[in-house]
Amino acid sequence: MTTTTPRTSSRPATRLPNPRPPVTGGPRRPAPDDSGPSRPAPGGGQGLAVPRARPHGAESTGGEADPATAAALFADPARARVLMALADGRALPASVLADEAGVSAPAASAHLAKLREGGLVSMEKSGRHRYYRLTGPQVATALEALTALAPPRPVRSLRAHTRAAALRRARSCYDHLAGDLGVQVTAALVAADALRPTDGIPDTRRRAHDPLSAQLPTHPYELGPAAEDVFTALGVPFSEVLHPACASRRPLLRFCLDWTEQRHHLAGRLGAALLTALLTRRWLTPGPRPRTLVLTPEGHGRLAAVLHLPPSP
């Protein structure tokens, strides 16, 4: 019996494609057209294209604003202390903010990154240092409103008591004067006819419709006939502040309900110009802690001469 050996072809066998199984989990890689510039991968390679974060308040095609997202940024005690330290409008380095928050430098950097991503603070480089500031007065206004609703911290030391008393006595509310001194100055401006109530109430008491610790939605004051003389005597370049070239979206007159005194204090463009004048002439000086202000003897004498403020206690 003859055995037949199978013939083998000299042509190479055709390799069938090995189909990849479909990916059923994980996000799809976004198309380059709608992702924006890609972030570098670790080691310097090209990473996946990731959409840029959109700061809160930016134009969006979404629905209603989500206050819980912003509120969560205020909710952490360390971040709240960072924001309080910046509420006077100054730019402070990360090392100072870490000390104010009572956290390590890496922890402060992490908190500041979240605040920047949320649109509450901005950063500016100066040499080797990075300085942070609030993105605008609306952040300070929100912080003041939350402060009025919050319970006071327990005072466990003389240092804490001294700082709390200093904040009540005189402080900056972003860029204008607040605290007992701010309320006294505003009341004296009304008494001197530099400001005139428009609602028939002759003083700066809280009105029935006033929100707690916030800028008033309607302002029951206007400039009085003695405004130019009084503000000029306090060092305010009154004609410049009123000049159209200085006008911006910020109104000339705004008023807040002071969260410690529950009375009105002057804000707006004129309030900022007044605080700048008092600091420039060193009638007020920055206190040892952020936001606190100290009335100097020269400043008290000048305010007493112009506004008839009572003697310091």
Side-chain angles (χ1 to χ4, degrees):
M1 180 176 180
T2 304
T3 304
T4 304
T5 304
R7 297 180 60 183
T8 58
S9 174
S10 60
R11 291 184 301 173
T14 302
R15 179 172 295 178
L16 295 176
N18 182 21
R20 295 181 180 179
V23 178
T24 58
R28 296 184 60 187
R29 181 171 176 170
D33 291 343
D34 60 4
S35 65
S38 59
R39 297 178 185 171
Q46 183 69 24
L48 294 179
V50 180
R52 290 179 175 176
R54 183 188 299 273
H56 298 315
E59 184 180 354
S60 173
T61 58
E64 297 180 355
D66 180 14
T69 302
L73 295 172
F74 289 91
D76 183 86
R79 288 197 294 271
R81 287 192 288 268
V82 166
L83 293 171
M84 290 289 287
L86 296 173
D88 60 358
R90 292 184 295 172
L92 295 175
S95 58
V96 173
L97 295 172
D99 180 63
E100 284 294 319
V103 297
S104 65
S109 296
H111 286 304
L112 287 166
K114 290 184 178 181
L115 292 172
R116 285 187 66 196
E117 183 181 355
L120 299 187
V121 303
S122 60
M123 185 271 292
E124 179 181 353
K125 288 185 178 180
S126 179
R128 298 172 54 188
H129 299 283
R130 296 182 177 187
Y131 286 79
Y132 297 84
R133 68 170 72 247
L134 298 185
T135 52
Q138 71 275 13
V139 181
T141 300
L143 191 61
E144 289 276 318
L146 288 172
T147 303
L149 299 175
R153 295 177 185 172
V155 176
R156 297 188 174 94
S157 66
L158 178 61
R159 179 182 181 184
H161 172 74
T162 302
R163 182 167 187 260
L167 281 171
R168 288 194 300 269
R169 186 163 48 248
R171 67 181 181 276
S172 57
C173 178
Y174 192 65
D175 62 357
H176 56 271
L177 182 60
D180 179 62
L181 182 60
V183 166
Q184 284 194 49
V185 167
T186 302
L189 290 170
V190 172
D193 223 12
L195 296 173
R196 175 177 290 176
T198 58
D199 60 356
I201 300 176
D203 52 39
T204 60
R205 77 184 79 166
R206 181 189 179 194
R207 275 53 166 175
H209 59 277
D210 288 349
L212 285 171
S213 184
Q215 288 189 344
L216 307 184
T218 57
H219 303 290
Y221 306 94
E222 62 184 7
L223 292 178
E228 182 172 6
D229 292 340
V230 172
F231 281 102
T232 301
L234 294 173
V236 175
F238 191 75
S239 58
E240 293 181 16
V241 175
L242 266 64
H243 196 276
C246 292
S248 62
R249 295 181 181 178
R250 190 177 191 186
L252 176 69
L253 292 176
R254 288 190 76 91
F255 297 86
C256 301
L257 187 68
D258 195 278
W259 67 270
T260 58
E261 308 306 312
Q262 296 298 291
R263 298 176 74 86
H264 298 161
H265 65 239
L266 174 64
R269 202 163 74 243
L270 188 56
L274 176 60
L275 179 56
T276 299
L278 299 178
L279 289 170
T280 300
R281 286 156 180 76
R282 298 192 64 78
W283 297 345
L284 278 176
T285 58
R289 305 294 290 178
R291 301 189 66 199
T292 59
L293 297 169
V294 177
L295 181 63
T296 65
E298 181 184 1
H300 185 270
R302 190 60 184 166
L303 291 181
V306 177
L307 298 177
H308 309 291
L309 288 187
S312 299

